[in-house]
Amino acid sequence: MQRHDVVVVGAGLAGQRAALAAIQAGREVAIVSKLHPLRSHSGAAQGGINAAVGKEDSVETHIYDTVKGSDYLGDQDAIEFFCREAGPTVVEMEHFGTVFSRGPDGSLARRAFGGAGFPRTIYAADRTGLALLQGMWERLGTERFTLYEEWDLTDLVVREGRVQGIVAFDRKTGEFEEIAARAVVIATGPYGRVYGRTTNAHSCTGDGVAVAYDAGAVLKDMEFVQFHPTALLESGILITEGARGEGGYLKNAKGERFMSRYAPHVLDLASRDVVSRAIVTEVAEGRGFSGPYGGYVNLEVMHLGREMIESRLQEIVDFSRNFAGIDPVTEPIPVYPGQHYMMGGISTNLHGETSIRGLFAAGEAACVSIHGANRLGGNSLLETLVFGKQAGIAAAAYAASAPAPEMHASDLDRAAAPLRAWSSRTDGEDPSALRTELQQTMERYASIYRNEADLLEGLRRVRALKARFARVRVVDQSRVYNVNLTDALEVGHLIELSEAIVVGAYARTESRGAHARTDYPKRDDAHWMRHTLAQRTPDGPSLSYGPVTFTRWEPKERVY
């Protein structure tokens, strides 16, 4: 059994920043990751990171834009703290070695993003996440820590109401091992693979969120799922909002810039939920293009010129040419919304503290809540760094005075028993087939537009898949890099989280931000200005509700 002061699960930007903060506070730290840190999903973020650093911009405007973007469900104390930390965070990352794009005068280049009052999105071409991740990893590499690379989290050990450590599975050896810890930080990222059409990597299966949920942690606002307006039609690969921030625009099959119907003031740079619904509506009402992969609209950047496109949108050029067979310099890009971000996650406060003592969370695995019902583009990379740091500081402080963890042999046996049972079956359910059915179910019944009948049917199907998962079978009997086994583990997590999404969406009888109910099309502040809180029970999620924190901004109609 291994022992550490602080164990960080997840090695993306939030996990690395948490680890660095805990190390700097004098704690002995380990990182557990199912991927090499530089393959973390943080590297897929393209468009930029928000910070009000320009003379014409202000922190106050950034705060207001984030509150408005959240459809007033974001906690305003958290949003104020978050936005005030933005400038110092960007400066710190530059000092860590991140190479940002520059303007003609040598200042940080900034581009416009949806829902922002000013161009405040700082970028590194359209590979901003990767640039930040490389800078962060180089800085962390100057410190001492233990890395458990290609290990899967299987269980969070909680005893006497506090964390004792984790049980993890080493893909390289096939062995389960206990890792005792005074404090654990969950930074495992999103769970977008509950949907088939998603910009999320195949590794984004919500492992840390599901394991914390299983251990008794409270989840918050799981019904709020963000769909990015511009995912490449066939593959679902992200086409950054930066393409529209640089001056690109959307057109339907009639050649209309149709966003004038939905956001007459800011057009293509409305918030993501507004643009996504607009595209779906255009296609549904017959004004979209049709093709073998379904309806779509066009994103045009040709008018920006080759030099700008190939210098500022390098990754988009590569993706379009390699995965769609088109050249965005001369041709429009076919796009349709795809799942992109989860506003919900493990409920935390400003310091990453959860409902379980000694358990902390940060990044997309957590819900502080700063995004509320809808996240603004450019705020997610900032979130990983701001709240990763806070979680690391808090975890280190807790570990400094926490009792020594107590791990028992039964902890290992309990965590390993289900996985061993899957491998011992002679017949049963194929995890990959269950995953495909789950994704199809969520796409069909809990997508951009929702209603009571669809959500009820979606819940029935998810629970049927949950029952079938109890009979899941792992055919591959090998011990080393058993992908069949890890697939089954991930599918179990996805099913649990899907149930929480659908139950929360069914209960919330209003439309707010990314949660759009066709049977309840209006926002209902009188009844639903509150956070959804979910706890796991044998019968499924048990819902309760918590207040939204207000400081200065009262809710009003959100118009773009």
Side-chain angles (χ1 to χ4, degrees):
M1 178 172 65
Q2 306 297 321
R3 289 182 175 272
H4 304 280
D5 289 342
V6 177
V7 168
V8 178
V9 188
L13 283 172
Q16 290 186 37
R17 191 63 189 87
L20 178 61
I23 292 166
Q24 291 176 327
R27 302 276 68 83
E28 193 273 318
V29 175
I31 298 176
V32 178
S33 177
K34 70 182 190 180
L35 300 170
H36 184 279
L38 287 179
R39 291 184 58 221
S40 299
H41 191 58
S42 298
Q46 298 170 347
I49 179 171
N50 287 341
V53 297
K55 292 180 181 179
E56 76 281 10
D57 201 358
S58 70
V59 172
E60 294 299 303
T61 305
H62 187 189
I63 295 168
Y64 172 71
D65 288 344
T66 302
V67 170
K68 178 183 175 182
S70 78
D71 220 347
Y72 295 90
L73 198 72
D75 288 324
Q76 293 180 18
D77 57 342
I79 292 171
E80 290 192 27
F81 174 84
F82 167 72
C83 295
R84 295 191 195 287
E85 289 293 308
T89 297
V90 169
V91 171
E92 180 178 66
M93 289 308 299
E94 188 168 42
H95 290 173
F96 287 177
T98 303
V99 180
F100 291 109
S101 296
R102 296 281 175 176
D105 62 352
S107 63
L108 291 169
R110 290 164 292 141
R111 58 171 48 125
F113 253 43
F118 292 95
R120 70 170 62 94
T121 305
I122 296 160
Y123 60 90
D126 57 352
R127 295 185 174 98
T128 313
L130 182 59
L132 289 165
L133 192 63
Q134 289 170 334
M136 186 73 245
W137 181 241
E138 289 178 8
R139 175 61 185 86
L140 185 61
T142 65
E143 305 287 348
R144 279 189 162 188
F145 63 95
T146 303
L147 175 63
Y148 297 91
E149 185 183 334
E150 297 188 320
W151 286 54
D152 285 289
L153 175 67
T154 60
D155 203 27
L156 181 70
V157 180
V158 177
R159 187 173 290 111
E160 298 177 353
R162 63 182 175 85
V163 163
Q164 308 292 332
I166 67 170
V167 177
F169 171 75
D170 184 355
R171 294 184 180 185
K172 297 183 292 297
T173 64
E175 297 293 336
F176 293 86
E177 188 160 352
E178 297 167 296
I179 305 176
R182 296 175 187 269
V184 173
V185 180
I186 299 294
T188 52
Y191 39 99
R193 282 289 157 179
V194 301
Y195 291 86
R197 181 177 173 78
T198 175
T199 65
N200 283 193
H202 288 280
S203 60
C204 296
T205 52
D207 307 324
V209 182
V211 168
Y213 179 51
D214 186 57
V218 174
L219 305 186
K220 184 190 294 180
D221 292 341
M222 294 292 285
E223 63 266 36
F224 294 106
V225 178
Q226 181 169 85
F227 289 79
H228 197 286
T230 57
L232 201 58
L233 181 63
E234 179 183 355
S235 62
I237 292 172
L238 176 64
I239 301 297
T240 176
E241 193 166 314
R244 284 172 285 136
E246 297 291 355
Y249 44 70
L250 298 163
K251 283 187 176 181
N252 62 19
K254 292 185 172 184
E256 300 171 320
R257 290 190 62 183
F258 57 86
M259 283 307 302
S260 60
R261 280 194 281 274
Y262 307 93
H265 303 295
V266 297
L267 302 174
D268 305 87
L269 289 176
S271 65
R272 289 176 174 176
D273 60 317
V274 173
V275 183
S276 291
R277 286 193 293 271
I279 293 172
V280 171
T281 300
E282 289 295 300
V283 171
E285 294 182 355
R287 293 185 294 274
F289 297 91
S290 59
Y293 303 104
Y296 64 96
V297 298
N298 278 336
L299 171 63
E300 295 189 3
V301 296
M302 303 93 73
H303 56 283
L304 301 178
R306 181 180 295 275
E307 182 179 354
M308 177 183 283
I309 295 169
E310 292 188 343
S311 63
R312 298 192 188 181
L313 301 171
Q314 302 161 6
E315 200 162 65
I316 301 315
V317 172
D318 291 343
F319 288 158
S320 298
R321 289 171 179 168
N322 294 333
F323 295 100
I326 62 167
D327 186 348
V329 174
T330 58
E331 301 171 86
I333 306 170
V335 295
Y336 191 79
Q339 188 283 333
H340 181 61
Y341 187 91
M342 298 293 189
M343 272 71 76
I346 304 167
S347 180
T348 75
N349 63 13
L350 278 172
H351 307 292
E353 295 171 318
T354 73
S355 57
I356 299 174
R357 281 185 296 147
L359 179 66
F360 303 81
E364 198 171 344
C367 180
V368 179
S369 151
I370 51 170
H371 306 307
N374 175 70
R375 175 180 70 84
L376 293 187
N379 274 352
S380 61
L381 287 173
L382 181 62
E383 174 193 22
T384 63
L385 297 167
V386 169
F387 292 109
K389 180 179 180 179
Q390 294 305 308
I393 292 170
Y398 175 86
S401 59
E406 296 180 14
M407 299 284 278
H408 300 165
S410 59
D411 298 329
L412 185 64
D413 293 338
R414 185 182 65 251
L419 283 74
R420 288 171 176 156
W422 302 341
S423 297
S424 66
R425 291 200 174 102
T426 56
D427 62 4
E429 295 283 352
D430 176 8
S432 63
L434 293 178
R435 182 194 293 249
T436 298
E437 288 189 46
L438 176 70
Q439 292 171 338
Q440 291 172 341
T441 296
M442 294 298 287
E443 288 277 356
R444 169 63 181 83
Y445 298 104
S447 193
I448 292 176
Y449 282 110
R450 303 162 173 187
N451 61 63
E452 180 177 314
D454 281 350
L455 291 168
L456 279 175
E457 178 60 18
L459 182 58
R460 184 190 70 79
R461 290 176 181 242
V462 169
R463 286 181 167 163
L465 289 167
K466 188 176 181 179
R468 289 169 57 191
F469 182 78
R471 304 186 301 276
V472 74
R473 179 192 180 199
V474 172
V475 176
D476 187 348
Q477 297 298 303
S478 63
R479 296 177 63 83
V480 177
Y481 290 107
N482 188 331
V483 177
N484 191 199
L485 178 59
T486 54
D487 187 34
L489 182 66
E490 292 171 345
V491 170
H493 296 157
L494 292 173
I495 291 173
E496 287 282 2
L497 299 175
S498 294
E499 185 181 26
I501 291 169
V502 178
V503 168
Y506 174 75
R508 185 172 285 271
T509 52
E510 67 160 353
S511 290
R512 183 185 299 272
H515 174 67
R517 290 278 300 257
T518 56
D519 47 351
Y520 295 96
K522 300 294 185 181
R523 195 179 78 190
D524 183 358
D525 291 342
H527 296 98
W528 287 109
M529 186 59 75
R530 52 184 181 165
H531 295 298
T532 303
L533 306 175
Q535 282 192 285
R536 188 180 184 276
T537 75
D539 298 322
S542 173
L543 300 187
S544 59
Y545 296 91
V548 177
T549 302
F550 289 87
T551 57
R552 289 178 285 168
W553 289 276
E554 291 299 317
K556 60 183 179 180
E557 184 181 2
R558 195 168 56 120
V559 177
Y560 288 103

